[in-house]
Amino acid sequence: MNDATEHPAPHGRPDPDAWEAACAEDLAAERARRREQYGQGAPGSAGDELRKLIDAVADKVAGLRLPPAAAAAQGAVQQLVDAAKAVVEPVVERNPEVFDHLASAGSELLAAYRAAVRGQEQRWTRRAADDGGDGGGDAGGDGGDAPGGPERIDLD
């Protein structure tokens, strides 16, 4: 990754946009890597995927065959979908990179969550093996939480 020391600003001052430039370079490199790995059939940007999702939901709602009593509800849902589409479309047009960044952030959060859960599962498995392999824990000998009770998961 690039930083201000690799691309120093003129006059020896740190470049205030160095982080933004480095992130943009990393994002472009990741996109190029994915295009190379998956070819042109790879999904589009997150904004394009959001548009496709909204269009698919609108098509599904429009294609529903409901009894006359539910037609009013279908109309209300269709209006809601159309309103969401009207709100999202200009935002995606003005800021397509935002959705890519949000998708990347979501992926990072999911990876962090998985790592935390995986670590906790390993601790539970180790504790169950230490308790004799029954997985039930000890009802009161070690000062820990009662079996089945709440337990703190350390995310550090």
Side-chain angles (χ1 to χ4, degrees):
M1 185 183 327
N2 296 330
D3 65 344
T5 59
E6 290 181 21
H7 301 291
H11 310 293
R13 287 183 236 131
D15 182 6
D17 297 326
W19 182 256
E20 181 181 352
C23 289
E25 289 175 13
D26 288 349
L27 183 60
E30 179 63 17
R31 285 181 178 161
R33 183 190 69 79
R34 287 184 182 208
R35 272 193 302 276
E36 182 179 312
Q37 183 176 359
Y38 299 112
Q40 294 301 324
S45 71
D48 292 338
E49 294 300 313
L50 182 59
R51 283 188 194 116
K52 289 178 188 177
L53 174 65
I54 290 174
D55 288 341
V57 169
D59 290 344
K60 271 293 192 202
V61 169
L64 291 176
R65 304 274 188 228
L66 297 174
Q74 182 181 11
V77 171
Q78 185 65 43
Q79 286 178 347
L80 182 66
V81 169
D82 291 341
K85 193 174 186 178
V87 168
V88 168
E89 191 65 33
V91 175
V92 171
E93 288 296 322
R94 284 191 308 265
N95 306 306
E97 309 87 30
V98 169
F99 291 95
D100 291 332
H101 289 295
L102 289 173
S104 295
S107 296
E108 289 295 321
L109 286 172
L110 181 60
Y113 174 76
R114 285 181 178 160
V117 168
R118 190 175 304 121
Q120 187 62 36
E121 286 174 341
Q122 290 171 350
R123 286 188 289 275
W124 285 334
T125 303
R126 242 189 335 262
R127 186 176 306 143
D130 291 345
D131 288 344
D134 64 355
D138 186 20
D142 63 356
D145 292 332
E151 184 174 332
R152 182 176 180 271
I153 297 176
D154 187 14
L155 298 177
D156 291 332

